[in-house]
Structure formats: C-alpha cells, structure tokens
Amino acid sequence: MEPQALGVYIPVVSPNQLCRWGEAANTNSVTKYRDTVKNSITSPFPYNQSINSKVILWDGDISLLQVDAVVNPTNESMTESNPVSDRIYQRAGNSLTDEMKRDIKECRTGEVKVTQGHSLSARYIIHTVGPKYNIKYQTASENTLHTCYRNVLQKSKELGIRSVAISVIHSVKRNYPPDEGAHIALRTVRRFLERHGSSLDTVIFVVDKVDLGIYEVLLPLYFPRSKEEENVARYQLPKDVGGPDGEPVMPDRQIRIIDNPQHTLQTDEECVDLSPHLEVSLGEHATFSQMQGDLDRQRLLGERSLSDPIADLMLKEIQHQERYEKLLRRARTEDLTEVSGIGCLYQSGVDRLGRPVVVFVGKWFPFTKINLDKALLYLIYLLDPIVKGDYVIAYFHTLTSNSNYPSFSWLREVYNILPYKYKKNLKAFYIIHPTFWTKMMTWWFTTFMAPAIKQKVHSLPGIEYLYSVMAPDQLEIPMFITEYDMTVNGLRYFQPGGATT
C-alpha cells in the first residue's frame, strides 16, 4: 500500500507481482502441425526466453503500476477523455493538469510528450496521440501507429527508463481495428527488445477485458514461449510481419508504376493495382466501398463502358441480391419449426442504445444433425427485419462441444450469402465464455474470411461484462449458462435487476 494525499491509501501494483510472459507457457494448448512445407523457413520471431522474461500482459488499472513510466493515449489537444486517461489524471492529481497547461499544451499525432508522474507511483507519464483509421489511408494509419509505439520506446531509452507500462494506443474510438493495431504494437516492441533489450527490464502491455482476448491469441506469434509455439506461429503470422523496426511493409498496397511512361496523365485511381489479394485481405466491406467509390467516379465522368470491371461488380451484386431475395421468400413460406424449436437463436431485448440483441446459444446448435439449409433459412427469417437497423449479437460458447462447431466452409457460405446490410448494421459481436481455441479460430475466420466485422468482435470472460452495454433484465439466457458463469466467476455474478450476490 502507498499513501496518497489526505492520508488516503491506494493499492500499488509492482511488476514483481505479475506473471512474466515467459512464465505463462502452456504448451498443452499448442496445436501440433506436421512441419513439412515450412521446414526450411526461419521464423521471423524465434523463441527467446530472455525477451519473454521482460514482457507482461495485464488487464488492470495502469495508474496503479509502480513502474518508471506509464503511457497515456490522448488527442492532439491533450484533452481526450477515455478510461486510461481518466484514471491517470484522477490519480496523478491537479498538479498534472497544471503541468500540461503550463508546459505541454499539445502533441501532434505520432509524437510523444513527457510529464512527471506526480501522485502516481510512476516517475513519468509518456503521452502520445494515435492515428485515426481510414481504410482509404490505411498505410498512413499503420505507419503512424508504429511511430507512436516506436517513439514511446525510444523516449524510454533516452530517459533511462527500465520499466514501462504501455496502454492500447490504437483506439477503437478512432475506428482503429483492435487486432490490426495489436499486431503493430507487438511486433514493434519485439523488434525494439531485440535491438535495445539491454535498455529495458520490463514492458507491460496493459489492456482491458475486450483487448485481452486479442493479445492472448497474438502474443504467442511474436513472443513464442517454446519451439512448438514458434513453429505454429509461422503458419499463423500475417503476410506483413514488418521491417527491421516492426514498421509496416506492404508492397501490394503501393501505387503501381505504369508500363507506358507516356501515359503521364493517368490518375491515381487508374494506377492502383486492384489485385485479388486486395479483395481477400480487406474483405467484402472494402470491396463494396471500392465499388461504390468507382461507381460515383463513373457517374461524374459519364463513363458507361460495360467492359469495365465495375460493371462486372455491379452484375455480381445484383445476382447476389437476387439469390438472397429467393432465400428470403423461401424462409417466409417454408415450415421451419424443426429449427426454431431448438431455441439456439432468438432475439432477447435491446441494449442500452435501444439496439436489438440477438442471442445464439452454441451448446444448443446440433450442427452434425440439423438440416443446414433450413438453419440458413431460419437465420434469414429471424434476422432480415432486425438488420434493417443497428443490432448486436451475443454468442454464448458456454459448455459448447465439438459436435456444435459449424464448419468453416458452411460459415463462409453463410457469410457470403448474407447481404451487405448484415455486416454494416452489426455493431458488436460478443463471444461470452470463449476458450483459447475459440479465440484462435475467431481470429482466423475474421482475418481471412470476414475482415469486415473483425473490429466488431469482442471476447468476454463472463456475463457481467455484457451489463455495461445492456441492462440485465434485457438478457434472457438459459439457466445452465448463468450456473456455469457463477461457477467460474464466483459470487460477483450480476443477477437480473441489477442486484449482485
């Protein structure tokens, strides 16, 4: 315990109390792959126990850490209100606000500013401003985010800091996809520790409950805890693993040099290489956005060439819509009681913003026994009137077994059949009681099959974490889920109506 002003005591957390990443090895959870294809390929992030011993993953209050420096993500005017900043300012006291107004005042995106820790247990506070994310300027956003993390580490080295707590700089508030930001954060820290590891003893990744699942899945890719994890990571790392400092290297997104140098009047849009890889990596949402942008451009320029690729996209979109309309007509006319009677999919009230909540109970979905055609029709029948506006999905993975897991091929077929409004109006997809395997497969599916919804997926360890977004009396779930939740999460379980036991 450490005294604060007016004799009030607050808890202080020392890094020595926290588990180092190298000590958290769980080789039983590592999937064994037959290493035949990449046997001769060297891992870009080899197993290194010395580096792992410097890294900590913690989902706590950054303002309580007894470290040399903590990182405060803020905006350019240094006035942003977010959970991390609010805790830091509250615990640091008014003297921090005074120093900011007197000496700092502003910080440009990608830069860092340093203040004293004041009433915090940390000596310094390193303030930085993360970028706003826009798919059109994705490369710029990624480079700027890398610069934020790199500058934080470099400033720590300059100040002689031995321990630093890094909060999540890539804010969802700025539309930055959490997982993509985590990749940049992890590989930037990894590369820095490889080159300047002697300057730092401890790097703590401080995350909230939502980001915890992402970091638990991605940390083994950049900081493998064994040779087995190192081998598995080679199959799961993204194509872009960064440059020498972890900076983004994406040649497939660069402007393509034209073959005929005489065509100097071509626009940037005409020179962009619209390769199939772009469609796969950015997903249906980006493809649709690209199509819409090009359609607007055609209208402005009066272009009507039927041989243009955009015309093909329009035709495919029309065919896709017609297919969905046929399925919707079937869903409204066929007898779907054998699926609806299972009770694994239903609407359950609304969240705190008035958006419908769709509940899916994984344990009750008999994938190996159910008629999958009728399952798809019932999904469309239930969701079509809901997805016309914003909505959220709560998927309960509680006690789900292998017989309940849908195949990737079926999930991909369903995802591709559902029209754009399903992805656009889905505001959050909560996975409650996920397992390590669930997190791994969710990351895989949203990375390679459904990137349009990737930033909307959140893994939650318990029911209580839903209550910040929806009232308890709006959530109707089977009794076995609440019983399991109380078993694993103890007496802090929130009872409907707001009471706790």
Side-chain angles (χ1 to χ4, degrees):
M1 307 287 283
E2 180 173 289
Q4 204 180 24
L6 302 179
V8 178
Y9 286 85
I10 60 170
V12 171
V13 179
S14 168
N16 295 330
Q17 300 173 242
L18 306 178
C19 179
R20 302 275 168 163
W21 182 245
E23 302 168 357
N26 184 6
T27 55
N28 292 330
S29 66
V30 177
T31 305
K32 307 298 183 182
Y33 285 87
R34 184 182 294 273
D35 197 7
T36 56
V37 179
K38 299 190 177 183
N39 203 23
S40 61
I41 301 177
T42 303
S43 171
F45 303 100
Y47 165 63
N48 188 315
Q49 179 58 27
S50 175
I51 290 179
N52 290 345
S53 66
K54 298 175 183 290
V55 175
I56 295 173
L57 176 64
W58 188 55
D59 59 335
D61 184 347
I62 194 171
S63 67
L64 299 178
L65 286 169
Q66 194 171 33
V67 290
D68 291 334
V70 296
V71 174
N72 172 40
T74 184
N75 57 12
E76 293 190 345
S77 61
M78 314 291 280
T79 58
E80 180 173 304
S81 176
N82 61 62
V84 174
S85 290
D86 292 346
R87 292 192 201 103
I88 289 175
Y89 272 87
Q90 179 181 10
R91 201 152 273 133
N94 293 332
S95 55
L96 171 60
T97 305
D98 294 339
E99 182 182 1
M100 296 292 290
K101 291 179 179 179
R102 182 181 66 249
D103 301 330
I104 306 297
K105 297 180 182 178
E106 63 179 6
C107 178
R108 290 188 293 182
T109 303
E111 291 184 349
V112 298
K113 300 289 184 178
V114 180
T115 62
Q116 297 297 313
H118 299 280
S119 296
L120 294 180
S121 297
R123 290 169 52 199
Y124 300 105
I125 304 171
I126 303 177
H127 309 264
T128 189
V129 180
K132 292 182 180 179
Y133 186 87
N134 187 323
I135 193 67
K136 187 175 181 181
Y137 307 109
Q138 182 175 358
T139 302
S141 300
E142 292 176 348
N143 277 300
T144 304
L145 182 60
H146 160 75
T147 301
C148 287
Y149 284 103
R150 179 71 181 179
N151 284 342
V152 165
L153 297 167
Q154 190 61 40
K155 181 59 69 174
S156 300
K157 182 173 180 288
E158 293 173 4
L159 293 172
I161 287 172
R162 305 300 302 180
S163 57
V164 58
I166 304 178
S167 55
V168 176
I169 300 172
H170 43 279
S171 168
V172 175
K173 189 174 182 179
R174 292 183 173 83
N175 297 321
Y176 213 107
D179 58 311
E180 293 184 20
H183 277 289
I184 294 174
L186 292 171
R187 72 182 186 227
T188 301
V189 172
R190 168 70 193 230
R191 292 307 186 205
F192 187 88
L193 290 177
E194 288 174 346
R195 294 188 168 205
H196 310 286
S198 60
S199 67
L200 280 171
D201 296 327
T202 302
V203 176
I204 305 177
F205 292 104
V206 184
V207 299
D208 59 21
K209 296 294 183 183
V210 173
D211 285 303
L212 179 62
I214 296 173
Y215 275 75
E216 285 178 339
V217 170
L218 298 187
L219 257 167
L221 305 186
Y222 299 95
F223 299 87
R225 295 162 293 183
S226 64
K227 281 293 182 180
E228 289 78 10
E229 278 194 342
E230 176 187 323
N231 290 333
V232 172
R234 290 185 294 163
Y235 294 88
Q236 298 170 345
L237 282 165
K239 183 177 180 181
D240 175 27
V241 295
D245 293 321
E247 71 277 12
V249 179
M250 296 161 288
D252 56 292
R253 293 179 186 167
Q254 294 174 353
I255 300 299
R256 176 168 50 86
I257 299 175
I258 58 177
D259 297 329
N260 187 347
Q262 294 180 352
H263 291 176
T264 57
L265 297 180
Q266 283 187 297
T267 65
D268 287 348
E269 290 172 299
E270 292 168 331
C271 294
V272 174
D273 183 9
L274 296 176
S275 63
H277 177 78
L278 185 64
E279 181 176 349
V280 172
S281 63
L282 299 184
E284 180 179 336
H285 179 80
T287 304
F288 184 84
S289 300
Q290 178 69 39
M291 182 187 74
Q292 290 293 95
D294 286 342
L295 285 175
D296 292 338
R297 176 177 176 275
Q298 281 193 329
R299 294 189 189 102
L300 288 172
L301 299 178
E303 298 171 357
R304 293 292 185 270
S305 173
L306 293 179
S307 61
D308 193 285
I310 303 304
D312 293 335
L313 286 175
M314 289 179 61
L315 179 60
K316 290 179 181 178
E317 184 65 22
I318 293 172
Q319 292 173 340
H320 181 265
Q321 184 63 30
E322 289 178 348
R323 182 185 183 190
Y324 176 77
E325 292 295 339
K326 289 180 181 178
L327 290 172
L328 180 59
R329 287 193 293 270
R330 285 183 55 195
R332 289 170 174 170
T333 56
E334 292 191 17
D335 182 9
L336 303 176
T337 53
E338 67 174 275
V339 180
S340 61
I342 296 173
C344 63
L345 182 70
Y346 55 92
Q347 182 184 346
S348 175
V350 296
D351 68 4
R352 297 188 187 277
L353 296 178
R355 302 175 298 198
V357 178
V358 177
V359 171
F360 184 83
V361 181
K363 181 178 173 60
W364 287 355
F365 182 59
F367 175 77
T368 57
K369 301 177 181 179
I370 198 172
N371 184 319
L372 295 179
D373 288 337
K374 288 187 177 292
L376 173 59
L377 292 178
Y378 180 68
L379 175 71
I380 293 173
Y381 174 80
L382 179 70
L383 292 186
D384 185 77
I386 296 176
V387 302
K388 293 177 181 178
D390 295 346
Y391 70 106
V392 300
I393 294 178
Y395 165 60
F396 289 88
H397 190 69
T398 317
L399 301 177
T400 300
S401 64
N402 293 338
S403 61
N404 306 122
Y405 295 162
S407 66
F408 270 168
S409 58
W410 187 75
L411 284 175
R412 183 170 189 172
E413 179 184 359
V414 172
Y415 182 82
N416 290 336
I417 286 174
L418 299 180
Y420 177 63
K421 63 182 179 180
Y422 280 75
K423 294 90 168 179
K424 175 180 178 292
N425 294 335
L426 174 64
K427 298 307 174 184
F429 191 111
Y430 301 105
I431 302 176
I432 300 91
H433 300 142
T435 61
F436 177 85
W437 182 251
T438 309
K439 296 174 184 177
M440 196 74 244
M441 292 302 100
T442 301
W443 172 80
W444 183 268
F445 180 77
T446 54
T447 298
F448 299 105
M449 296 185 184
I453 65 170
K454 190 168 188 177
Q455 66 199 66
K456 304 176 183 181
V457 179
H458 311 288
S459 294
L460 306 178
I463 301 173
E464 64 186 89
Y465 300 101
L466 281 174
Y467 293 156
S468 63
V469 294
M470 63 185 70
D473 59 2
Q474 292 293 313
L475 187 63
E476 298 178 10
I477 53 177
M479 182 61 70
F480 81 87
I481 293 177
T482 58
E483 291 174 349
Y484 172 84
D485 193 271
M486 284 188 285
T487 300
V488 297
N489 290 324
L491 297 180
R492 62 182 182 175
Y493 175 71
F494 283 56
Q495 293 289 344
T500 60
T501 59

